[in-house]
Amino acid sequence: MTTHFTFKLLASDGKARRGEITMPRGTVRTPAFMPVGTAGTVKAMYLDQVRDLGADIILGNVYHLMLRPGAERVARLGGLHEFARWPHPILTDSGGFQVMSLAALRKLDETGVTFKSHIDGSQHRLTPERSIEIQDRLDSDIQMQLDECIRLPAERAEIERAMELSLRWAERSARAFGDQPGKAMFGIVQGGDVIDLRIRSAERLSAMDLKGYSIGGLAVGEPQHVMLKTLDETLPVMPSHKPRYLMGVGTPDDLLQSVARGVDMFDCVMPTRAGRHGLAYSRFGKINLRNARHAEDPRPLDEASACPASRDYSRAYLHHLTRADEALGGMLLTWNNLAYYQWLMAGMRDAIEAGRFADFKAETEAGWARGDI
Ligand SMILES: COC(=O)c1ccc(CCNc2nc3cc4nc(N)[nH]c(=O)c4cc3[nH]2)cc1
């Protein structure tokens, strides 16, 4: 039982790292994938199932929870862990990204951002201080600074303006967070695809001596090679003894390529959202169950899987459920996808410990290339 937030590097293999983050609510084995629990639930899953798949931590969103049911209401009901019955660590995103991608009529200035709810049009305001206050009310274990994430491609001047604002907001977020030994606030490196701005952001954040660092401003429409090049240039100037979290990423291939470059933590709606739309991720690559070729295929998605959704149901049944838009279709495919993502992360953790990450990466890529056997 620990009272402090600590990160330990257990092994490395090339640039890939195996570590663990310990905090009062539990230990996060890294590299880690965080299932997205936007509104206090991982859609189409029971949180006990999410835990049983090996997830040590889930993500929640300030933007969604402040609009509905409201942070003060969650606090009155004992905080997000009690509310959702998830006693393990929770990381919350600060709202910056969701305001820019979801809210209507937003107005951003030096002190914060004002916006209208996409749910009922009500007016709201987020500042670095208010976002941290909301994350405190949610009793979040790992909190994110408020930042401004812009889409790519963008002009250098615009990228620089948003990066500098995010640095000033990092200072204010850290001041508002204060000194909470068992929790952490992560800074978020911005700078788009402009290497000197990325380096400036990473160096200025490193000087703030925060407990962890996110790489933001990616997975915003840029090609994978631009994301990977930005990682190659940014990771070396980020503190190596602190967790590195790549926000919003990604596909199984994104995870493999990014762990190879030294990323420790990930979150993405891909496995859950794609599952609700009939898409299965597997050792053999992607399988779109809407496709008619599965209509009479008696095989399961992966008979070698430990997950019942992957092992016990025919592709024909999954195809039927998907075409009929039956709720069970999204439930089973979400279960399969999160099982595959956690299996992949566990495989990478074990491979780094065994010093065979390169082999594991090659075997995994060969499995995807072999396709849907
Ligand atoms: C089926 O799959 C999908 O629909 C789907 C949708 C969006 C993404 C990409 C999400 N990308 C992304 N999330 C992000 C969240 C972020 N949060 C903060 N505070 N700052 C950032 O700088 C930031 C960047 C992100 N980039 C990935 C998958």
Side-chain angles (χ1 to χ4, degrees):
M1 178 55 197
T2 176
T3 54
H4 281 62
F5 179 98
T6 55
F7 177 59
K8 251 200 331 269
L9 267 182
L10 302 175
S12 62
D13 184 353
K15 293 181 180 175
R17 301 138 52 97
R18 167 76 170 91
E20 63 181 33
I21 307 173
T22 54
M23 62 201 97
R25 283 197 174 94
T27 296
V28 177
R29 296 162 291 177
T30 65
F33 179 79
M34 300 183 279
V36 173
T38 297
T41 155
V42 175
K43 293 183 180 2
M45 293 287 286
Y46 289 103
L47 285 177
D48 287 342
Q49 274 177 297
V50 172
R51 179 64 180 160
D52 291 346
L53 293 177
D56 292 328
I57 180 170
I58 61 172
L59 178 138
N61 276 311
V62 158
Y63 173 80
H64 295 81
L65 290 165
M66 73 185 281
L67 298 182
R68 187 174 53 190
E72 276 65 26
R73 172 170 296 172
V74 174
R76 284 195 298 273
L77 290 157
L80 191 54
H81 299 80
E82 187 57 33
F83 193 49
R85 314 294 294 152
W86 172 265
H88 314 290
I90 295 177
L91 179 148
T92 44
D93 197 357
S94 54
F97 181 82
Q98 286 76 28
V99 167
M100 304 314 281
S101 55
L102 284 172
L105 297 177
R106 53 196 176 264
K107 191 176 128 342
L108 183 131
D109 56 51
E110 178 62 35
T111 56
V113 58
T114 304
F115 58 94
K116 282 186 179 301
S117 161
H118 72 287
I119 298 169
D120 62 11
S122 54
Q123 174 129 321
H124 297 266
R125 180 158 178 74
L126 266 185
T127 64
E129 295 79 10
R130 175 66 180 141
S131 176
I132 292 294
E133 182 185 37
I134 290 172
Q135 296 178 77
D136 274 338
R137 310 291 283 140
L138 298 173
D139 198 14
S140 166
D141 303 286
I142 302 179
Q143 306 181 12
M144 289 295 126
Q145 70 156 92
L146 186 66
D147 59 331
E148 185 190 357
C149 168
I150 58 172
R151 297 214 166 298
L152 292 180
E155 291 300 315
R156 178 195 169 91
E158 179 60 5
I159 294 172
E160 184 166 21
R161 179 202 58 73
M163 184 275 282
E164 289 289 350
L165 176 68
S166 295
L167 279 175
R168 294 193 294 276
W169 283 5
E171 296 272 14
R172 288 171 47 191
S173 302
R175 206 172 306 122
F177 177 78
D179 179 20
Q180 304 185 63
K183 296 185 172 184
M185 193 214 79
F186 283 15
I188 303 177
V189 176
Q190 293 292 353
D193 52 359
V194 180
I195 167 67
D196 66 291
L197 297 179
R198 279 278 169 187
I199 290 173
R200 188 194 308 170
S201 177
E203 288 176 341
R204 297 261 289 276
L205 284 172
S206 300
M208 296 178 201
D209 193 23
L210 305 173
K211 292 185 181 170
Y213 292 87
S214 302
I215 299 141
L218 292 175
V220 289
E222 79 285 356
Q224 187 196 51
H225 71 86
V226 170
M227 180 179 83
L228 297 179
K229 180 172 178 293
T230 305
L231 290 181
D232 287 335
E233 295 160 348
T234 308
L235 287 166
V237 293
M238 292 172 68
S240 59
H241 58 298
K242 299 194 175 168
R244 298 144 161 193
Y245 161 30
L246 178 54
M247 306 186 87
V249 174
T251 64
D253 184 46
D254 291 338
L255 299 179
L256 198 62
Q257 303 302 334
S258 301
V259 168
R261 287 166 170 78
V263 176
D264 304 307
M265 298 163 73
F266 303 87
D267 86 275
C268 191
V269 296
M270 195 73 85
T272 40
R273 191 175 298 174
R276 297 195 305 278
H277 291 90
L279 197 68
Y281 285 97
S282 78
R283 289 186 294 130
F284 320 110
K286 282 192 295 193
I287 302 166
N288 184 341
L289 274 306
R290 297 197 65 83
N291 192 305
R293 68 190 177 92
H294 303 297
E296 305 217 359
D297 190 337
R299 299 174 302 160
L301 289 171
D302 185 348
E303 60 191 14
S305 170
C307 173
S310 320
R311 186 196 56 212
D312 299 339
Y313 295 86
S314 70
R315 294 173 190 209
Y317 183 62
L318 294 168
H319 170 72
H320 159 63
L321 294 179
T322 301
R323 281 297 184 93
D325 201 19
E326 283 289 341
L328 184 61
M331 291 159 66
L332 290 173
L333 289 178
T334 299
W335 195 5
N336 167 79
N337 291 355
L338 286 179
Y340 178 65
Y341 268 59
Q342 294 300 341
W343 178 85
L344 179 63
M345 300 314 291
M348 287 197 270
R349 293 194 295 264
D350 293 347
I352 296 166
E353 278 182 40
R356 62 177 302 278
F357 182 77
D359 291 345
F360 179 83
K361 181 168 179 286
E363 289 154 14
T364 302
E365 289 164 337
W368 294 335
R370 205 171 45 242
D372 170 16
I373 53 174

